[in-house]
């Protein structure tokens, strides 16, 4: 009996010791915060923009607001499937803003869009892309029409980017509280953007491209033979995609440049008479204006030898 009592006492002491040594935070997930021990119990310390909520951290969003108003309280979003890309959201009032955060990879184009229509189909929301410093992200351009406003950027480095959605102040007479948003990875840029890095295109081989972000210029290079003539054609995918070209000779001199005209068709044609053999470049772009997204859109380009 003495041995049994002694063994029982030892077991009880070990149990108490183990209980004292157990970590209250072992099974606690504070999300973006960190679990700490307070008076022998688990508690969550939350980063800026978050507040404790039971044994977790939630974004510090004012009551009734669906998304945070600051970078710290921004809603994290993942890339979406283009076939089912829209998510519902709301702006509470004319002064409300919604912040979203996402991660980008250098060399890829990302597009954040909001969709909210007024009676004349103008977008009642607008999007601005911000860096981690809260300033407009360099290289990002916003543009919109037909109920949708979008902002895109060609990422130059890995890291976080923020999308700020607010009421489109160009249209203050009517306000739509509800909107939809989407985030798409548009992939790498399809063609070079500078004369020195121009993408070679064989004569007689048609190519297609997409101008994005707004104002993007795709640059292709042609090996032209002196004394021959080539027909260069750029055509937008839709009537609202008015394609333009700027053609340069081997020395960089401008041989042709499209002029913007509301009455001209979506395609542009130029017959290049080659006076000097060598590398010619063609800058391809979409004109600002039209009923679709300004300076954004698909095109097809071809260079055909007129003297086969």
């Amino acid at each position: 009996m003495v041995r049994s009592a002694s063994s029982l006492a030892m077991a009880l002491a070990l149990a108490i010791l183990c209980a004292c040594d157990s970590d209250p935070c072992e099974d606690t997930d504070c999300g973006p915060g960190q679990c700490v021990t307070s008076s022998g119990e688990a508690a969550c310390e939350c980063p800026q923009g978050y507040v404790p909520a039971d044994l977790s951290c939630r974004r510090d969003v004012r009551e009734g607001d669906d998304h945070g108003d600051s970078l710290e309280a921004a809603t994290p979003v993942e890339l979406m499937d283009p076939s089912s890309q829209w998510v519902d959201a709301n702006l509470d009032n004319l002064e409300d803003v919604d912040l979203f955060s996402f991660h980008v990879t250098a060399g890829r184009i990302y597009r954040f869009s909001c969709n909210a229509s007024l009676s004349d189909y103008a977008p009642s929301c607008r999007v601005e892309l911000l860096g981690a410093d809260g300033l407009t992200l360099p290289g990002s351009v916003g543009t919109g029409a037909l109920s949708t406003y979008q902002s895109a950027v060609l990422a130059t480095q890995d890291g976080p980017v923020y999308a700020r959605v607010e009421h489109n102040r160009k249209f203050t007479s009517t306000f739509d509280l509800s909107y939809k948003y989407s985030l798409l990875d548009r992939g790498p840029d399809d063609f070079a953007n500078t004369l020195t890095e121009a993408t070679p295109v064989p004569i007689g081989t048609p190519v297609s491209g997409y101008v994005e972000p707004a104002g993007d210029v795709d640059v292709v290079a042609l090996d032209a033979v002196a004394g021959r003539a080539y027909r260069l054609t750029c055509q937008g995918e839709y009537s609202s995609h008015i394609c333009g070209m700027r053609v340069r000779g081997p020395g960089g001199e401008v041989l042709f440049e499209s002029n913007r005209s509301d009455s001209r068709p979506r395609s542009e044609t130029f017959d290049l008479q080659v006076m000097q053999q060598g590398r010619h470049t063609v800058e391809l772009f979409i004109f600002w204006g039209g009923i679709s997204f300004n300076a954004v859109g698909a095109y097809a380009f071809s260079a055909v030898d007129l003297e086969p």
Side-chain angles (χ1 to χ4, degrees), residues 83-252:
S83 63
S84 57
Q85 58 180 295
W86 299 105
V87 177
D88 293 327
N90 289 280
L91 292 173
D92 297 347
N93 52 61
L94 287 172
E95 303 304 321
D96 185 28
V97 296
D98 286 348
L99 270 295
F100 303 87
S101 65
F102 55 95
H103 184 84
V104 300
T105 301
R108 302 186 71 83
I109 297 171
Y110 296 87
R111 177 204 294 172
F112 195 99
S113 306
C114 70
N115 178 278
S117 62
L118 295 170
S119 57
D120 59 356
Y121 300 106
S124 63
C125 61
R126 69 181 300 274
V127 179
E128 182 181 12
L129 297 183
L130 310 174
D133 56 3
L135 301 177
T136 301
L137 191 66
S140 63
V141 182
T143 182
L146 295 179
S147 305
T148 301
Y149 195 103
Q150 67 182 38
S151 188
V153 68
L154 173 61
T156 58
Q157 61 183 15
D158 297 359
V161 168
Y162 300 86
R164 186 178 190 268
V165 179
E166 64 181 358
H167 172 57
N168 193 334
R169 299 184 183 278
K170 290 184 178 180
F171 308 96
T172 57
S173 59
T174 306
F175 178 61
D176 188 355
L177 293 175
S178 62
Y179 70 93
K180 298 180 179 180
Y181 68 89
S182 73
L183 171 63
L184 300 179
D185 180 347
R186 300 288 294 161
D189 202 357
D190 41 13
F191 291 98
N193 296 328
T194 65
L195 297 176
T196 56
E197 298 176 342
T199 304
V201 171
I203 301 294
T205 302
V207 296
S208 59
Y210 198 97
V211 171
E212 191 173 19
D216 177 34
V217 176
D218 288 346
V219 187
V220 300
L222 307 173
D223 286 329
V225 178
R228 302 190 71 84
Y230 303 93
R231 175 159 295 167
L232 312 181
T233 303
C234 177
Q235 180 167 324
E237 182 179 13
Y238 302 111
S239 59
S240 57
H241 298 165
I242 303 175
C243 190
M245 298 187 295
R246 185 180 300 110
V247 183
R248 297 178 186 268

Side-chain angles (χ1 to χ4, degrees), residues 24 36-43:
V36 296
T37 302
S38 176
S39 301
E41 297 183 353

Side-chain angles (χ1 to χ4, degrees), residues 48-50 59-62 65 67-76 96-101 130 134 162-164:
Q48 185 178 6
Y50 288 79
R59 290 183 299 107
D60 186 10
V61 178
R62 57 186 170 81
D65 196 9
H67 298 288
D69 298 347
S70 64
L71 298 188
E72 295 79 13
T75 301
D96 185 28
V97 296
D98 286 348
L99 270 295
F100 303 87
S101 65
L130 310 174
Y162 300 86
R164 186 178 190 268

